[in-house]
Amino acid sequence: MRTQTWWLTLALLSPLAAQTDEATALAGLQAGDANARVAACLTLQRIGSAAAVPALASLLGDPAVAQAARQALEAIPDSAAGAALRAALATTRGAERVGVVQSLGARAEATAVPDLAGLLGDADPLAARTAARALGRIGTAAALTALRGAPPSVDPTVRAAVADGLLLCAEQLLASRQTAAAATVYRDLAAAGLPAHLRVAALRGLYLTDRDGGLARLSAALQGSDRAARQAALQAAADLPGTAVAATLAKLLPSLAAVAQVDLLAALRSRGDPAVVPALLRAQQHPELAVRLAAWQALGELADDKLLAGLADRAAACEGAELSAARLALTRLQRGAVEAAMIRRLPAAAPAAQAELARALASRRAVAAVPALLHLATTGAPPAALRATVALGELADLAVLPALVKLLASASEWPLLDAAEQAVAAVGLRAGGGDGPAATVLAALPGAQPINHGALLRAAGAIGGPAAVQAVRQALDEATPEVAAAALQAYAEAAPPSALEDLLALAQRPGEALRRVVALRGYWRLVALLTDRPAAERLARVQAGLAVCERLPERRLGLAELGRVHLPAALALAVQQAAGEAREEAELAALQIATALLGSDRVAAEPVLRRLAATGAGDELRQRAQAALAELTQRAMYLMPWQVCGPFREPGRECQALYDIALGPEREPADPAIHWQPAVSPPDPLLFWQVDLGGLTGGNHCLLYLRTRLEVPTAQPARLAIGTDDGIKLWLNGALVHANNAVRGLTPDEDKCDVQLRAGWNELFVKITQHTVGCGATFRLTRPDGQPIAGLRVAVPE
């Protein structure tokens, strides 16, 4: 009962609300601002009634709002709206009158046919064209008569528009099942010498509506040389109803040229009639590749499970582009119990066809095929066994892992061995990885041949887990070279960061150069994972690795990691390395580091950028250095660097409530345990002048604090331009000089603050509030007239 009352209340109130909105919108039509009147028209387009018609009609001659006004009238169902548009034909000119004609067509305003008929001979070709198309959209018998009686025009665009209107009328006749009348229109147009695109549309309509001769005409057009007629026939071939049509077209197929067969095959495919499948199978034998490809594409949608065996055999005999098309067709088959048929066919098919069926089952994610695929992988001929093993890697679950491990432990040929290794690793990882799945693999190690032993180690290492890593590490000292090499590869790819020192020691161990290379590449893989470690630690790792690099490829890997360490010492190392054989990579690292340091150590970064901009290796590197220098010049007055601490929170307090609460370093006395750290810039290095705090907030509704120091040679007034996300309090030398408890995004220079600097060092202390989504700040210091402050230095506290 409560629900019924709610709906009744809504039904009673909705008309009242609409009237109120309409009255407001009508008042808005009187506004002096054109944008406001357009907005009012948009509202009336949604809710307007007959009451809005006079006001909207008065605007149809105003170029600023005419379009919005007539679109509102289009949407009002009352006949008064149509009458107002008809009346406007006599009072509007130019573009506004053309728009009115369009709106009459959009409304299918039948009473406007006489007015629009009079415009077909208008001196303005645009008006005549628009009237013709509007009559077509109206589509009544009177509109059709008007278009047929249109005065001859010397303008070809007007003649084309009249034909367009007639086509629209014919479509409406066809939709209302007046097929004979529509056919008459199409027949007249087809013989009228129209431009190609209109003739195609007319012929297509004629083929679809001519009950007696449409199919014969269509067949003749497909075989003929008239391009427009053939194009129309192909369009109609996809839509002409009747099973006899499909049979006739299929019978016609072999007699056509190859290019026409391709087009007709596409039309047959879109019809979706499986009766044409025999013709598609014959088209598979065509000497032209394009025809065979089109046949495969159609078979993928129209063939059923009964044809599966033959299709798989044919696919196995294909190659190149046709093989790809055949495989796609096998994947897309949907008619009948296709996957069950594939599984039944799998044991009896020839090996090449078995391989194609296994591939298709994997592409179709046919998990039910796993037992059959496992049997094929263990007993089939090499090509089929290989493809079945690959499919198991995509489909099998943990229950099948022991059988796959057994296959891996016994495989003797390399392609199957590699496929089994990849399948075991994939299934183990899909099951979650770690010691559980790895234990199944490790259990097969005793007694395995060296080549299988190594593959088992690699698979276990890929699955991961402490036990796998330990087993791999122990195997490094195996006497059999194959096993030791495989163990090292697995260790390099699977070891955790705690193995850094071990891998570095292995890279320095005397012996085979290849083993040192593998160990060093594993070392660089782990260095790349140290993103959460202090920059100084990462630099030490990079220095140690570069010291043992003997080959350029491994040195390049190390320099890539060096470029991610944003410290002055890392920059110095990159400059040093640029004097060696890896100049390009070292200079790129130097560019990355120097750009990142612009906000915190301009003194170190700027000279390196200037050198790279002048003499760096490669145009792109020099241009990037020049862009960084240009940004540095433009942002020279922004204060950098900063230190940050936080976040600080108070339970139950949101951002703006925290604004006046002293936390962390704002409290007296300050907590000596508070940790200040360098503030960072956004990931884009050219935003070095911004302070990015988003990575420190750890959520919403908190406080962060910033600090830095300014040195000027003399006492002087200055101006701070500030942008923050969100609110800010700023103290200069212990005095509060600016406050704004805002919730906002970061807009540089949004706040302005005049300050008085003292000679020597000045202390800046800032409180930033964080609401939600993003947190940061910018600070630009200038003289009161906006010019740079001479002798300004910025440095964070010691």
Side-chain angles (χ1 to χ4, degrees), residues 246-322:
T248 300
L249 294 175
K251 186 177 180 181
L252 182 66
L253 190 64
S255 66
L256 302 179
V259 64
Q261 288 196 42
V262 171
D263 292 336
L264 184 54
L265 284 166
L268 291 172
R269 173 172 57 85
S270 67
R271 290 180 65 86
D273 188 346
V276 303
V277 166
L280 302 180
L281 294 174
R282 289 191 295 272
Q284 282 185 316
Q285 310 301 321
H286 198 281
E288 290 286 340
L289 175 62
V291 177
R292 300 198 302 273
L293 294 178
W296 275 112
Q297 189 173 9
L299 283 165
E301 297 187 18
L302 302 180
D304 62 16
D305 55 342
K306 299 179 182 63
L307 297 171
L308 189 279
L311 292 177
D313 291 341
R314 293 189 187 195
C318 295
E319 58 185 23
E322 188 175 1

Side-chain angles (χ1 to χ4, degrees), residues 312-313 315-317 327 349-358 381 383-384 387:
D313 291 341
R327 287 171 173 170
Q354 287 177 324
E356 294 306 325
L357 288 168
R387 183 46 54 185

Side-chain angles (χ1 to χ4, degrees), residues 325-669:
R327 287 171 173 170
L328 181 60
L330 289 172
T331 301
R332 297 180 65 180
L333 288 173
Q334 296 296 331
R335 296 175 184 265
V338 176
E339 289 170 10
M342 287 183 172
I343 295 170
R344 287 195 305 271
R345 178 62 182 165
L346 202 57
Q354 287 177 324
E356 294 306 325
L357 288 168
R359 182 189 294 272
L361 286 164
S363 297
R364 299 170 70 96
R365 312 303 301 167
V367 177
V370 166
L373 289 169
L374 185 59
H375 180 74
L376 183 61
T378 54
T379 64
L386 174 64
R387 183 46 54 185
T389 303
V390 172
L392 287 167
E394 299 179 32
L395 300 177
D397 59 16
L398 192 58
V400 185
L401 185 60
L404 282 174
V405 170
K406 184 178 179 180
L407 175 63
L408 177 57
S410 61
S412 57
E413 298 294 331
W414 170 250
L416 182 58
L417 183 73
D418 182 59
E421 178 186 326
Q422 300 303 320
V424 167
V427 172
L429 287 171
R430 197 157 52 243
D435 284 348
T440 304
V441 183
L442 296 174
L445 288 175
Q449 294 296 312
I451 188 172
N452 305 96
H453 196 131
L456 289 163
L457 286 171
R458 286 192 298 269
I463 294 172
V469 173
Q470 182 180 1
V472 167
R473 179 63 184 87
Q474 290 173 349
L476 290 177
D477 297 321
E478 278 279 343
T480 307
E482 289 173 306
V483 175
L488 180 58
Q489 181 183 346
Y491 190 55
E493 294 175 358
S498 59
L500 267 167
E501 293 293 346
D502 192 23
L503 281 168
L504 186 61
L506 291 170
Q508 296 172 288
R509 181 186 292 182
E512 186 183 347
L514 180 59
R515 296 192 65 181
R516 296 200 300 274
V517 167
V518 173
L520 192 52
R521 293 195 171 199
Y523 177 82
W524 288 129
R525 179 187 69 83
L526 293 180
V527 171
L529 300 178
L530 302 180
T531 53
D532 60 340
R533 303 290 180 84
E537 179 185 341
R538 288 186 286 129
L539 176 58
R541 298 293 188 187
V542 172
Q543 286 175 312
L546 287 174
V548 302
C549 285
E550 298 176 351
R551 299 186 338 136
L552 183 57
E554 288 70 51
R555 188 171 298 277
R556 285 172 172 160
L557 292 174
L559 290 170
E561 297 309 318
L562 179 62
R564 301 184 180 99
V565 181
H566 301 156
L567 291 176
L571 181 60
L573 180 58
V575 171
Q576 175 191 339
Q577 290 285 321
E581 60 177 347
R583 176 188 172 188
E584 291 185 12
E585 291 77 13
E587 287 190 342
L588 177 59
L591 173 67
Q592 293 169 334
I593 301 166
T595 306
L597 289 177
L598 282 175
S600 59
D601 199 334
R602 175 175 176 173
V603 173
E606 185 174 359
V608 174
L609 286 173
R610 295 201 178 279
R611 191 179 317 132
L612 294 174
T615 63
D619 292 341
E620 182 182 355
L621 184 134
R622 290 194 296 272
Q623 290 167 4
R624 288 175 60 182
Q626 290 161 7
L629 288 169
E631 190 70 11
L632 178 61
T633 300
Q634 182 180 351
R635 307 294 181 180
M637 290 179 282
Y638 282 86
L639 299 179
M640 310 161 286
W642 292 83
Q643 289 178 336
V644 60
C645 71
F648 301 95
R649 289 180 166 83
E650 278 280 303
R653 301 294 183 95
E654 294 194 352
C655 167
Q656 289 184 295
L658 290 169
Y659 185 75
D660 289 320
I661 299 176
L663 296 176
E666 190 183 354
R667 284 179 171 165
E668 294 291 346

Side-chain angles (χ1 to χ4, degrees), residues 2 37 44 74 115 131 251 292 393 447 479 580 701 731 751 798:
R2 188 175 301 168
R37 285 182 287 155
L44 292 170
E74 287 177 21
D115 306 289
K251 186 177 180 181
R292 300 198 302 273
H701 303 294
W731 290 263
D751 296 350
E798 294 294 335

Side-chain angles (χ1 to χ4, degrees), residues 677-694:
Q677 60 181 313
V680 300
S681 302
D684 183 348
L686 294 185
L687 298 179
F688 61 88
W689 47 279
Q690 297 184 13
V691 180
D692 184 7
L693 302 173

